[in-house]
Amino acid sequence: MPKLFRSLFAILLVAGSLRGAEALDQALRSVVRIQSTTMQPDLTAPWNVGRMARGTGSGFVIEGQRVMTNAHVVSNARFLGLQRPDSPRIFPATVAFVAHDCDLAILAVEDGSFFDGLQPLSFGGVPRLDSAVATIGYPIGGQRMSVTRGIVSRIEFQSYAHSGLDAHLTIQTDAAINPGNSGGPVVQDGKVVGVAFQGIPGAMAQNTGYMIPTPVIERFLADIKDGRYDGYPELAISTFNLLNKPARDRLGLPADNLGLLVTDVQPQGACDGLLQRDDVLLSIDGHPIMSDGQIELGGERLLMVEVVERKFIGDTVVFGVLRDGKQREVKVTLKGAWFYRYRAREYDTLPRYLVFAGLVFQPLNLDFMRTYQPKDPDLLDAYEFFIDDCVYVERPELLVLSSILADPINTQLNRFTMSVVESVNGQPIGTLAQLDAALSAPAERYVITFQGADWPLVLEADKVAAAHDRIAQQYGIAKDKNLGKALNEE
Amino acid sequence: MKTSLSLAVALLLLACHLPAAPGVGGSYEPSVLRVRVTRQSYDFIRPWQKESPEQVGGLGVVLGPDRILVPGWLLADATLVEVERIGDGSRCEATVECVDYTANLGLIRPKDADFAQALKPLKIRDMAKRGDRVTAVQFEGNGTPSISEGTIKGAEVAVPPGAHSSFLVYRVAIDLELGNTGITPFFRRGKLIGLMVGYDKSGSTATLIPSPVIQHFLTDLEDGSYDGFPLAGFTTVAIRDPQFRRYLGMENGEPGVYVTGVVPGNPAAKAGLQKADILVSVDHYTIDRHGQYEDPNYGPLSLSYLFSTRRQAGEKVICTVRRGEEVLELTMTLDYMARDDYPVPAAYVSDRPPRFLIAGGFVFQQLSDSLLQMWGDDWETKAPRRLTRIARHQWDLLQPGEHAVVLTRALPTPENIGYENLAFLAVETVNGKAVKSVRDVADAIQNAGPVQYHVVHFAESDAPDLVIPAGTMDLADRFVRERYGISQLMQLD
């Protein structure tokens, strides 16, 4: 079972009423078991195909002959097999849509007979706190379907572990949670009110399982209607509370607990040029923003960004803004923020790299940090301050010399490992493609400078050429590069 | 460091076997004293208070009636220093005459003249050579001396245990009778040759702060003011890679090391040394590709010795440098920079209270290694990156004498509600005035004139400006005193 499946859990709870029991009966028939065979890329040898792993998860049939599940159940899958609860037959399936930022996926099954007699499940709203829910799925501990029950414990913005970066609305329940439940439906009164997806592993907390609620699910389904998943828009601003009375007085704000302070606006983000530091956000789409950044939405107190969360790239939001003592409206056309994505895990893509003279260069991102766990302070800073220092404006990605495949031409260069490339022959490097171009350009020698290194790395072109085949053969490198696309080009 | 110190003391007091040859070493008794120190360190995370007192101990070597040599670490943050005769246990309070934490050397003086007169001063031997026989003097808990014999294996430039810079050290092959009992004086023919500061039992090797370093320390003091070991203020790297050598246009056997960095304002920078220069010779000693020269006494030694132990601050050193096709002769006037004057003072600046100011319930502190070390031994990865980054780039960000000031926490008061989670932000300005010391913060508030609010602006772009109502400063101070029991609200010097 892949590591991922062990750390992400699912939940399952049962409604108590007779009517609920009947409806649950019907729902049970539409919950399917998913077997996946995956190839997990190995960043330490990015030219290899990766490690094979197998896992199981849950899914459920929705309208349009589709199966919904978690993105993490099908990530990096090379083969997917679906099983109905009433038959041992395994139906091959493919991923039609996957949203790694909200951990949802839609599967298609080529053999339409898979859906014969299965009722597509429909979606309900956000269940009330303390109301009963049932979670259905195929967790570890047996082959057959499992049902558990519990109540809705909390409705809150939470991190989604699958990407490691994103946070969305989440519902917490107190049901027992186990690996394999992932992707299964959470049902109330016969309707799906959530997709079980993660828990808190270990002994830190008990009876806490999490589901993806319907606002997130419906947003995903609407996003893919045009045949493509675009993802979430981002405001790309930093804000700070306005609880402090002197700070409010100085801004001329009344003591009405409204208003959120803008402290920073990211270049190239949706609000770039529209909002500025020290703006006070008073409302979003007519919802008053409280001084802790919350708004009231559908009877719940939620973060202001929840309004943006339910929108799409290209939509607009209107802020009521106080600037220099005057109120104004600011209309923001929403877009994604590619520059945050280096902090998200990547799936379904092959690792990007370049091998040159035995030097392995790779982009600096979350997967890199998880794989190598570097301790070099300059590298930690480069990762940490990529956004704060707006490094991305000039350099969409940072390239790190991650390792050296030892060869007589590079044995003196170990000091440069885990350093970020600054320039090659005076050419600043901001993408893997630029690095490749600079190292492919004819030159007598390649002088590579690194951030934090006080002297350059020098490689002579004729020596590099002579070493190329030797190194490729010695280390079994079939392909010496996979340039792919930088995040800003996607 | 504390654990190992107390361990050393415990061993010193508990060691009790292996009697020494009778008579031998007895003559050392009036020349080697026990030193007992009560110390109390400053609490850098709660700068208004000190930590619990603790006791440490070791040996001191009598160099004169008013001069007892001890390792510097022993005297850090001392509140009471006592010396004790090993023979009869008589004790006397001592005062600290001079301490150099960088070199890990200190001098103390007994307060009682009669006690001092009864001591027998030892002479210092200039130097020792490879192969010289030396004697280590240790004492059992009951005062019985224990003598071990060993041989000097060699000299090199390294950071000795307890020190904070590279110095000449001697390595001695020796099996210590009592094992590592902490500070141990080493003698050659009755004269002091070094203080042991480290002992590798498995390799039977002792590391000494040797007499040339001790002599340097004492000579420096002769004019009545202590400067410290000079620093040139540049770094180098060996040029071994053939491709890098050819890039620099260096012939195969050509000597020299590559200058990787020059600290602004230091002697090397003042003399005109630049990054990427190739340092070829120092004081007419040729520097080889590994950064070593051939010392007439010790053989190959790191070039840093030519700027440090061999020299006193104020002396001149001539360097030959190749810069491109040019060959330049640069004269460096050596100098010493107090570690406290570094933009981010080094952790081993002891005996000084942390600089801080509590205003409006906000705690402002000078950024120092001591503060960063509150995150533990691996503070370089554990401490907030915004702060470690300032420490690592201090010479690019600040001038000598300028310091970084950090908001370390907010003590909640009725007036600063909303800011309680702000911490570890670098202060850029207060009331529009640039902040380069904690005193600057105090002055900017003090001299603001009739303003309604004091405004603190941070270097971090996503941090809000702090707004502190000017009329409530006294109220907040009183609140901090009464509710948090903090009586001292500032320490500016």
Side-chain angles (χ1 to χ4, degrees):
Chain A
M1 195 172 282
K3 199 176 160 202
L4 197 63
F5 286 46
R6 283 201 297 272
S7 60
L8 302 173
F9 302 132
I11 326 144
L12 173 47
L13 319 149
V14 186
S17 69
L18 240 182
R19 198 182 118 245
E22 271 169 31
L24 182 66
D25 230 30
Q26 205 170 45
L28 287 173
R29 286 196 287 274
S30 300
V31 179
V32 303
R33 188 165 188 267
I34 303 173
Q35 293 179 17
S36 72
T37 304
T38 62
M39 292 291 255
Q40 310 289 346
D42 177 7
L43 255 63
T44 62
W47 45 85
N48 286 344
V49 293
R51 288 182 297 263
M52 195 181 287
R54 292 167 63 85
T56 64
S58 309
F60 57 97
V61 176
I62 61 170
E63 47 89 24
Q65 300 218 322
R66 298 180 293 176
V67 172
M68 174 167 272
T69 185
N70 283 142
H72 76 260
V73 171
V74 298
S75 293
N76 296 324
R78 295 295 183 273
F79 183 81
L80 290 170
L82 302 190
Q83 264 179 315
R84 293 165 50 135
D86 58 357
S87 159
R89 187 173 159 196
I90 291 169
F91 290 76
T94 54
V95 177
F97 297 98
V98 62
H100 295 297
D101 55 1
C102 62
D103 201 0
L104 288 171
I106 295 288
L107 310 183
V109 187
E110 200 173 319
D111 185 343
S113 69
F114 175 76
F115 296 98
D116 287 351
L118 294 188
Q119 278 280 339
L121 300 185
S122 58
F123 293 98
V126 176
R128 301 231 323 261
L129 274 180
D130 200 29
S131 64
V133 289
T135 304
I136 313 166
Y138 296 86
I140 51 159
Q143 288 297 304
R144 302 297 307 277
M145 178 186 291
S146 135
V147 179
T148 56
R149 67 162 72 195
I151 55 153
V152 172
S153 318
R154 180 151 46 185
I155 304 171
E156 201 176 30
F157 216 66
Q158 285 269 356
S159 289
Y160 278 38
H162 176 57
S163 80
L165 170 69
D166 302 275
H168 307 291
L169 196 65
T170 309
I171 295 177
Q172 181 190 324
T173 89
D174 65 347
I177 46 168
N178 284 297
N181 267 125
S182 283
V186 182
V187 176
Q188 185 175 69
D189 295 336
K191 298 209 184 244
V192 175
V193 294
V195 175
F197 79 121
Q198 65 187 26
I200 299 175
M204 204 166 79
Q206 271 138 34
N207 299 334
T208 47
Y210 296 99
M211 65 174 113
I212 302 170
T214 46
V216 177
I217 299 168
E218 278 164 358
R219 191 205 164 281
F220 167 63
L221 291 174
D223 191 321
I224 59 173
K225 270 211 170 102
D226 61 357
R228 191 185 124 107
Y229 181 69
D230 298 315
Y232 277 78
E234 299 282 348
L235 290 174
I237 57 174
S238 305
T239 59
F240 195 77
N241 75 64
L242 275 174
L243 293 165
N244 186 258
K245 188 171 174 302
R248 299 184 66 87
D249 292 347
R250 180 162 172 261
L251 291 162
L253 286 169
D256 59 1
N257 282 322
L258 294 182
L260 183 66
L261 185 70
V262 175
T263 54
D264 207 3
V265 180
Q266 288 307 139
Q268 300 185 15
C271 300
D272 187 13
L274 300 172
L275 293 178
Q276 60 192 51
R277 183 177 164 90
D278 289 338
D279 279 353
V280 178
L281 304 180
L282 296 171
S283 66
I284 180 166
D285 282 358
H287 304 282
I289 301 173
M290 285 173 262
S291 55
D292 61 353
Q294 306 235 12
I295 56 167
E296 211 167 288
L297 203 64
E300 295 283 343
R301 247 165 72 82
L302 297 168
L303 283 178
M304 172 269 281
V305 291
E306 186 59 32
V307 171
V308 180
E309 284 280 303
R310 297 182 186 187
K311 297 204 176 201
F312 301 92
I313 286 164
D315 287 356
T316 55
V317 286
V318 177
F319 284 107
V321 175
L322 182 75
R323 181 182 299 166
D324 302 328
K326 291 189 200 79
Q327 286 205 28
R328 63 177 74 197
E329 285 203 335
V330 174
K331 190 165 142 186
V332 173
T333 303
L334 295 173
K335 58 178 181 177
W338 64 268
F339 41 86
Y340 290 138
R341 303 310 304 174
Y342 80 107
R343 282 180 182 260
R345 299 195 63 183
E346 285 203 20
Y347 300 98
D348 303 329
T349 57
L350 292 170
R352 298 171 55 233
Y353 69 94
L354 170 67
V355 181
F356 180 81
L359 312 183
V360 183
F361 296 96
Q362 290 177 278
L364 182 60
N365 55 32
L366 180 62
D367 290 329
F368 183 98
M369 299 300 276
R370 288 172 61 107
T371 303
Y372 291 102
Q373 314 224 332
K375 296 272 184 285
D376 181 275
D378 284 308
L379 187 60
L380 293 175
D381 281 356
Y383 184 76
E384 175 88 10
F385 299 114
F386 185 68
I387 300 288
D388 286 1
D389 289 354
C390 300
V391 175
Y392 64 87
V393 175
E394 298 287 322
R395 305 166 69 190
E397 62 184 351
L398 299 179
L399 287 314
V400 184
L401 171 57
S402 55
S403 61
I404 295 177
L405 308 170
D407 182 87
I409 67 161
N410 60 31
T411 51
Q412 304 268 3
L413 305 178
N414 283 331
R415 185 264 169 259
F416 299 102
T417 52
M418 289 299 151
S419 298
V420 174
V421 178
E422 206 167 56
S423 72
V424 175
N425 289 347
Q427 198 82 30
I429 300 300
T431 61
L432 191 56
Q434 285 173 6
L435 179 64
D436 179 52
L439 292 175
S440 307
E444 189 189 338
R445 53 166 62 95
Y446 299 97
V447 180
I448 309 174
T449 61
F450 291 86
Q451 284 178 23
D454 295 316
W455 69 98
L457 183 158
V458 178
L459 285 165
E460 289 163 353
D462 55 339
K463 301 246 175 346
V464 173
H468 182 272
D469 290 351
R470 184 171 69 214
I471 292 170
Q473 204 163 32
Q474 196 77 36
Y475 292 92
I477 297 164
K479 223 179 120 199
D480 60 12
K481 61 186 156 191
N482 175 34
L483 299 182
K485 276 184 175 171
L487 288 169
N488 66 326
E489 294 167 335
E490 278 178 355
Chain B
M1 183 155 119
K2 263 172 212 148
T3 329
S4 65
L5 298 187
S6 10
L7 189 67
V9 178
L11 288 171
L12 182 75
L13 300 176
L14 295 176
C16 59
H17 43 79
L18 291 175
V24 188
S27 57
Y28 289 111
E29 191 275 325
S31 308
V32 180
L33 300 172
R34 283 201 215 283
V35 182
R36 298 179 189 276
V37 175
T38 308
R39 73 161 69 168
Q40 199 179 10
S41 314
Y42 292 95
D43 184 343
F44 276 79
I45 209 84
R46 285 164 292 266
W48 51 85
Q49 66 189 35
K50 287 179 131 190
E51 291 181 352
S52 320
E54 56 176 356
Q55 302 214 320
V56 291
L59 295 182
V61 179
V62 179
L63 300 178
D66 54 353
R67 293 189 145 194
I68 296 162
L69 183 73
V70 295
W73 64 258
L74 202 54
L75 306 176
D77 300 316
T79 50
L80 177 68
V81 180
E82 290 174 295
V83 286
E84 180 187 303
R85 288 285 291 264
I86 291 169
D88 60 11
S90 61
R91 281 198 201 185
C92 167
E93 194 186 338
T95 52
V96 176
E97 292 295 286
C98 180
V99 58
D100 184 336
Y101 294 112
T102 313
N104 192 17
L105 287 171
L107 268 188
I108 55 176
R109 180 169 63 87
K111 277 189 169 174
D112 183 339
D114 294 340
F115 183 96
Q117 285 309 319
L119 300 173
K120 190 179 142 203
L122 284 167
K123 291 226 155 34
I124 304 178
R125 183 165 291 280
D126 281 347
M127 59 163 295
K129 285 192 166 164
R130 189 188 164 89
D132 283 354
R133 297 287 292 168
V134 291
T135 306
V137 178
Q138 298 176 286
F139 293 91
E140 294 185 32
N142 61 10
T144 310
S146 163
I147 305 299
S148 314
E149 297 279 333
T151 309
I152 302 265
K153 285 203 299 189
E156 62 182 298
V157 176
V159 181
H164 298 279
S165 188
S166 290
F167 293 96
L168 185 73
V169 296
Y170 288 169
R171 308 283 188 199
V172 180
I174 190 166
D175 278 311
L176 286 173
E177 291 284 335
L178 300 184
N180 187 358
T181 55
I183 307 149
T184 303
F186 274 59
F187 299 91
R188 173 159 164 81
R189 295 183 182 149
K191 288 184 178 173
L192 184 71
I193 197 70
L195 282 187
M196 185 184 87
V197 287
Y199 181 60
D200 171 18
K201 194 169 189 295
S202 59
S204 296
T205 303
T207 299
L208 308 192
I209 300 178
S211 51
V213 175
I214 296 169
Q215 289 282 22
H216 187 285
F217 173 69
L218 297 172
T219 309
D220 191 337
L221 256 174
E222 272 167 13
D223 62 359
S225 82
Y226 185 76
D227 301 318
F229 287 74
L231 269 181
F234 69 95
T235 51
T236 60
V237 67
I239 316 170
R240 299 195 182 99
D241 182 22
Q243 294 178 87
F244 188 47
R245 291 186 70 85
R246 284 191 288 271
Y247 166 70
L248 295 173
M250 294 180 82
E251 306 283 325
N252 218 352
E254 201 176 319
V257 285
Y258 187 82
V259 177
T260 50
V262 179
V263 181
N266 277 228
K270 285 180 186 161
L273 191 71
Q274 292 177 8
K275 186 174 159 176
D277 283 350
I278 294 163
L279 181 60
V280 180
S281 78
V282 179
D283 278 351
H284 309 297
Y285 288 111
T286 301
I287 307 300
D288 70 15
R289 63 163 78 177
H290 308 292
Q292 297 191 321
Y293 75 101
E294 189 68 25
D295 187 271
N297 293 324
Y298 300 116
L301 265 195
S302 160
L303 70 95
S304 73
Y305 184 63
L306 292 169
F307 296 92
S308 178
T309 311
R310 272 171 48 97
R311 295 292 189 179
Q312 291 284 353
E315 291 183 358
K316 287 182 171 22
V317 173
I318 296 163
C319 303
T320 311
V321 156
R322 188 159 79 70
R323 185 177 299 161
E325 297 300 305
E326 261 183 298
V327 174
L328 307 167
E329 198 151 274
L330 305 177
T331 305
M332 278 183 214
T333 306
L334 294 177
D335 197 359
Y336 173 76
M337 179 180 283
R339 297 304 204 271
D340 201 31
D341 292 336
Y342 282 28
V344 178
Y348 47 91
V349 176
S350 299
D351 315 325
R352 283 179 212 269
R355 292 181 181 135
F356 75 101
L357 169 72
I358 304 180
F362 298 102
V363 183
F364 299 97
Q365 281 185 256
Q366 177 180 315
L367 182 62
S368 62
D369 282 2
S370 306
L371 175 59
L372 291 168
Q373 285 186 349
M374 291 290 153
W375 277 272
D377 286 342
D378 45 359
W379 60 268
E380 280 186 303
T381 51
K382 292 276 163 58
R385 296 230 62 80
R386 295 192 275 217
L387 303 191
T388 56
R389 179 158 78 156
I390 296 172
R392 274 188 303 113
H393 297 287
Q394 53 180 297
W395 295 107
D396 303 326
L397 298 169
L398 297 157
Q399 300 293 317
E402 292 183 350
H403 299 296
V405 177
V406 175
L407 172 78
T408 47
R409 69 170 81 197
L411 304 164
T413 71
E415 294 293 339
N416 67 21
I417 287 172
Y419 293 135
E420 54 274 4
N421 292 328
L422 288 183
F424 308 119
L425 298 169
V427 178
E428 200 165 85
T429 64
V430 173
N431 293 330
K433 300 240 163 53
V435 166
K436 302 291 181 197
S437 67
V438 179
R439 179 173 287 283
D440 286 349
V441 179
D443 288 348
I445 291 172
Q446 198 73 46
N447 307 329
V451 294
Q452 201 179 351
Y453 305 102
H454 299 300
V455 179
V456 179
H457 180 74
F458 297 105
E460 289 76 19
S461 61
D462 55 350
D465 290 347
L466 285 187
V467 180
I468 315 174
T472 64
M473 300 296 280
D474 292 345
L475 216 65
D477 285 355
R478 199 179 318 145
F479 193 90
V480 169
R481 284 201 173 91
E482 286 172 7
R483 296 289 183 96
Y484 294 96
I486 298 169
S487 51
Q488 190 191 356
L489 298 188
M490 65 170 81
Q491 174 70 54
L492 301 181
D493 301 305

